[in-house]
Amino acid sequence: MPILCAAAALTPLFKTTLELKLLKYLAAAGYTISCYFYSLTFKVFAMSQKPSQPLPSYLNPDNPGPWAVFLEQVDRVAPYLGDLADWVETLKHPERTLVVNIPVKMDDGSIEHFEGYRVQHNLSCGPGKGGVRFHQDVTLSETMALSAWMSIKTAVVGLPYGGAKGSVRIDPRNYSAAEMERVTRRYIEEIAPVIGVRQDIPGPDINASGQTMAWMMDSYSKKVGEHSPGIVTGKPIPLGGSLGRVEATGRGVFIIASEAARDANIDLKGARVCVQGFGNVGGTAGSLLHDAGAHVIAVQDHTGTIYNANGLDVPAVLEQVRNTGGVAGSANSETISNESFWSLECEILIPAALAGQINANNATSVQAKVIVEGANGPTTPDADDILKEKGIRVVPDVLANAGGVTVSYFEWVQNLSNFYWTEKEINERLGVIMREAYATLSATAHEHNVSLRTAAYIAACTRILNAAKLRY
Ligand code: NAD
């Protein structure tokens, strides 16, 4: 009898009906079950042990790729999560991972097959949100990491989304526009079972344009038999795209730069600003800072670095970029070496071009007071440590360039409600969200005496895990 009671009490621990039946049979037959308890104890002990490397079986443990970087970031932030640290394992496993084959007929009649992914990292706070990247080097590990960083980014600005990302292994330079259209449409058809206006909303990423998003929206709408503009963001305006989306990321960078300057007692009027990358993000941020009275003293892009100690004529530089594709040769500027750009004395430095630009080689010479990361991942972790020691405040990418995903969220909201806002309304709402997010991170950084980057991860992981815990 005591044996049967023990068996009943432990019932939830037995994983299979077969195990339970066997146990009841043994108990009823009066056999000793100590051996079973021994193996059970071992099993429970093994289950309670955290795996040292929670890598999914489909990643190579010897070369896990970018996903390992994300895991390390989560481990670093876990000590700050209080009771929620028990839930941190949730973040180390993408919620849903889809790998698809994309067979496409080429212009010459042959068939080529491409690998595509859609990863939904965590959907606790809402449907998935994240761009689709078309690049020959994308991997599943990279897509997983990018989806996880979308979870962090959307949570940092408090959007009701989870993190997702998609990609297709293709070098678009080798294919015609018609072939890219067929690849895009087939990709959407293949991932259609896991996306939806309230499930997962793709957007553009590398090598995806407004036209790409229009094809995606059209293919999905035809598949489900109804006009579905809310299935993707980054659409052209006639298809339900949002006003202000093109400038949103640069505008967000400007808003955050203004907040960070105020925190550091820097008057924006007359503040010296250096910008790397003068495309969509850097050009917009530089232009808005110029309008606010800052002096953009140096700009670097793929064509070189231009400088004017009294401030460049930003509208003229933008005109030069429009006309020639780069900043080199802009009026009223001198050319300086690309290396010297990083050691210029300035109040605000905005890397808005490529990843890994501020690294162990140049971080020691940086003389900015504040760095606002317009690009994704422009500062390497070792450079981060150097900058921290130098007392330079770095506003991380997950906040600084979140203006883009914030206005994508506005686009989606407008699509769902079929009611469209003015550009003024969009910019004002963007300002409210960005400023609130900056204030939250600033307070978190202050509370834990950590960098804004660590604060961003603390705030984001707390938000996601709180939601996950409430739903469990
Ligand atoms: P873009 O193509 O419009 O501009 C890129 C700029 O980088 C150009 O001025 C180019 O000349 C410059 N550049 C390229 N190679 C360079 C080099 N070797 N040295 C110096 N400059 C170089 O791209 P964008 O949309 O402005 O994006 C810039 C960064 O911002 C990227 O890291 C992107 O991932 C990130 N980002 C963009 C958005 C967005 O909405 N556009 C959103 C989030 C993050």
Side-chain angles (χ1 to χ4, degrees), residues 133 153 205-206 245-246 248-250 276-283 300-304 321 325-327 338 351-355 357 374-377 401-405:
R133 179 172 286 201
K153 191 180 284 192
D205 197 80
I206 293 171
R245 172 60 188 94
V246 176
T249 306
Q276 189 203 32
F278 225 52
N280 180 307
V281 179
Q300 179 181 111
D301 76 357
H302 70 285
T303 63
V321 173
V327 300
N338 285 344
L354 310 168
Q357 294 298 291
N376 285 319
N401 70 28
V405 70

Side-chain angles (χ1 to χ4, degrees), residues 53 133 159 182 189 255 266 286 298 442:
Q53 253 205 321
R133 179 172 286 201
L159 303 180
R182 291 195 288 274
E189 283 168 24
I255 295 166
I266 297 168
S442 237

Side-chain angles (χ1 to χ4, degrees), residues 349-360:
L349 171 61
I350 302 179
L354 310 168
Q357 294 298 291
I358 304 177
N359 47 52

Side-chain angles (χ1 to χ4, degrees), residues 117-140:
Y117 317 109
R118 186 70 189 172
V119 180
Q120 296 162 352
H121 171 252
N122 190 287
L123 305 178
S124 301
C125 296
K129 184 83 197 89
V132 179
R133 179 172 286 201
F134 294 81
H135 196 276
Q136 62 279 12
D137 297 330
V138 296
T139 61
L140 180 54

Side-chain angles (χ1 to χ4, degrees), residues 19 59 94 113 120 159 163 189 240 242 292 315 383 388:
E19 282 172 319
L59 289 190
H113 294 254
Q120 296 162 352
L159 303 180
E189 283 168 24
S242 180
K388 191 162 184 258

Side-chain angles (χ1 to χ4, degrees), residues 42-323:
F42 180 78
K43 193 191 279 184
V44 169
F45 171 77
M47 278 162 63
S48 71
Q49 295 302 294
K50 296 222 162 69
S52 56
Q53 253 205 321
L55 277 183
S57 61
Y58 46 83
L59 289 190
N60 175 2
D62 297 328
N63 182 16
W67 180 245
V69 178
F70 174 71
L71 292 183
E72 205 186 313
Q73 289 166 338
V74 172
D75 280 338
R76 232 180 290 148
V77 89
Y80 299 100
L81 297 179
D83 291 351
L84 288 171
D86 289 349
W87 287 80
V88 91
E89 199 62 27
T90 306
L91 298 172
K92 297 184 178 181
H93 306 273
E95 196 163 321
R96 188 172 289 123
T97 305
L98 178 67
V99 182
V100 295
N101 174 40
I102 308 163
V104 176
K105 194 176 263 183
M106 296 291 111
D107 290 346
D108 65 4
S110 64
I111 304 279
E112 279 195 40
H113 294 254
F114 303 93
E115 196 169 301
Y117 317 109
R118 186 70 189 172
V119 180
Q120 296 162 352
H121 171 252
N122 190 287
L123 305 178
S124 301
C125 296
K129 184 83 197 89
V132 179
R133 179 172 286 201
F134 294 81
H135 196 276
Q136 62 279 12
D137 297 330
V138 296
T139 61
L140 180 54
S141 168
E142 180 191 79
T143 312
M144 287 162 61
L146 291 168
S147 73
W149 287 320
M150 281 307 294
S151 293
I152 300 294
K153 191 180 284 192
T154 53
V156 160
V157 277
L159 303 180
Y161 282 139
K165 202 79 185 186
S167 39
V168 180
R169 276 177 77 87
I170 184 170
D171 184 348
R173 290 170 301 185
N174 299 336
Y175 297 92
S176 71
E179 287 167 337
M180 285 308 295
E181 176 178 352
R182 291 195 288 274
V183 169
T184 303
R185 288 184 183 278
R186 186 63 192 242
Y187 169 71
I188 280 297
E189 283 168 24
E190 295 297 339
I191 67 164
V194 301
I195 61 168
V197 290
R198 286 185 178 77
Q199 282 171 272
D200 182 1
I201 304 106
D205 197 80
I206 293 171
N207 290 324
S209 62
Q211 177 63 74
T212 313
M213 305 325 288
W215 290 329
M216 288 187 185
M217 176 268 192
D218 181 67
S219 285
Y220 186 84
S221 293
K222 281 182 178 147
K223 191 168 178 69
V224 297
E226 61 181 36
H227 187 68
S228 304
I231 186 60
V232 291
T233 59
K235 300 177 293 295
I237 301 284
L239 286 180
S242 180
L243 295 170
R245 172 60 188 94
V246 176
E247 304 82 20
T249 306
R251 184 174 292 279
V253 170
F254 162 69
I255 295 166
I256 294 299
S258 312
E259 294 297 292
R262 205 201 47 228
D263 254 8
N265 292 321
I266 297 168
D267 188 355
L268 220 49
K269 266 197 174 38
R272 291 163 300 173
V273 178
C274 296
V275 188
Q276 189 203 32
F278 225 52
N280 180 307
V281 179
T284 305
S287 173
L288 291 168
L289 282 161
H290 172 79
D291 294 349
H295 294 162
V296 179
I297 59 166
V299 172
Q300 179 181 111
D301 76 357
H302 70 285
T303 63
T305 305
I306 55 168
Y307 174 73
N308 184 328
N310 298 316
L312 293 158
D313 178 350
V314 171
V317 179
L318 289 168
E319 187 63 21
Q320 179 78 2
V321 173
R322 269 192 295 274
N323 293 338

